[in-house]
């Protein structure tokens, strides 16, 4: 979207390190996907250290402008490369949105061994 940009008083996350729940770098933010109807960042596009490009849902990401990084507590950095792929690199289908949201959102419950057990 050439007609949209990040607000001047907000940090532009492109080029920032993407940090997983393990505190390690899992890739770099290469772009942001904007919802044109709501004018908010819907996804952060990340080039993973494993050589893939994946999308991380915006609500699961925290931007740290001073540190030039974005973090997510949902999955460790090693699992970034396992995120669902897009059939078209410029478009996301409803099914792909569901799969991507489930992958990262489900990470809060299942991504590590200590999260996989019931809480009493």
């Amino acid at each position: 979207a050439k007609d949209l940009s990040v607000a001047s008083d907000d940090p532009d996350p492109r080029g920032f390190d993407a940090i997983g729940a393990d505190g390690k770098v899992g890739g770099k933010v290469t772009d942001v996907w904007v919802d044109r109807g709501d004018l908010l960042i819907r996804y952060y596009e990340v080039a993973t250290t494993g050589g893939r490009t994946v999308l991380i849902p915006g609500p699961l990401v925290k931007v740290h402008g001073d540190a030039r990084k974005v973090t997510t507590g949902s999955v460790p950095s090693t699992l970034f490369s396992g995120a669902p792929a897009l059939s078209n690199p410029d478009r996301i289908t409803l099914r792909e949105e569901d799969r991507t949201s489930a992958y990262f959102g489900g990470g809060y419950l299942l991504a590590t061994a200590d999260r996989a057990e019931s809480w009493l």
Side-chain angles (χ1 to χ4, degrees), residues 48-62:
T48 69
T49 55
R52 293 190 59 227
T53 299
V54 299
L55 298 179
I56 302 177
L60 303 181
V61 172
K62 184 172 182 183

Side-chain angles (χ1 to χ4, degrees), residues 41-108:
I41 295 174
R42 197 58 79 184
Y43 296 99
Y44 291 84
E45 183 177 288
V46 174
T48 69
T49 55
R52 293 190 59 227
T53 299
V54 299
L55 298 179
I56 302 177
L60 303 181
V61 172
K62 184 172 182 183
V63 178
H64 306 271
D66 295 342
R68 296 195 44 78
K69 67 180 181 180
V70 299
T71 59
T72 182
S74 64
V75 299
S77 60
T78 55
L79 297 182
F80 283 7
S81 292
L86 301 180
S87 57
N88 180 334
D90 296 325
R91 185 173 309 154
I92 188 167
T93 66
L94 288 175
R95 182 171 188 266
E96 291 167 341
E97 282 193 86
D98 284 347
R99 293 178 67 217
T100 299
S101 295
Y103 184 85
F104 284 99
Y108 282 107

